[in-house]
Amino acid sequence: FNEISSLMIYPNPNNGAFTLNLKSSSNEDIKVDVYDVRGRLIYNNAFNNTTDFSQVIKLNSIQSGVYLVRVTDGERKSIKRIVVE
């Protein structure tokens, strides 16, 4: 699969709320999935696509630890690690 080279997630570490930025070249919804270290899906959503995509993700009452954020933009996909303090 193709990486989303423009994907940025900040702040990292965070408190369960973070901003996701990317430059999109598809016209499909941007899908965001967050998994815990055991691979359980704890958050998923799809957002309307914009070329300069920016979205605040709030994981309410989440435990501290390491999580994987999977972002899908059409044919492109990226997985980033975040740390929740």
Side-chain angles (χ1 to χ4, degrees):
F1 63 89
N2 292 326
E3 278 283 321
I4 304 172
S5 56
S6 62
L7 177 63
M8 289 191 315
I9 296 176
Y10 58 89
N12 190 12
N14 60 61
N15 61 1
F18 55 91
T19 302
L20 203 123
N21 279 356
L22 65 94
K23 296 214 178 307
S24 175
S25 55
S26 85
N27 51 14
E28 297 182 42
D29 284 354
I30 310 267
K31 296 188 184 84
V32 179
D33 302 312
V34 180
Y35 296 89
D36 67 10
V37 284
R38 295 190 187 100
R40 289 181 301 202
L41 181 66
I42 58 158
Y43 174 92
N44 75 321
N45 208 337
F47 300 97
N48 289 334
N49 190 319
T50 55
T51 308
D52 286 320
F53 180 80
S54 182
Q55 182 71 42
V56 175
I57 307 290
K58 291 189 174 124
L59 306 172
N60 296 329
S61 59
I62 191 172
Q63 292 183 326
S64 56
V66 176
Y67 294 85
L68 294 177
V69 180
R70 184 176 71 186
V71 180
T72 309
D73 172 23
E75 295 295 308
R76 298 187 310 157
K77 184 188 306 182
S78 280
I79 297 173
K80 298 256 193 214
R81 263 176 33 179
I82 61 165
V83 175
V84 174
E85 295 183 323

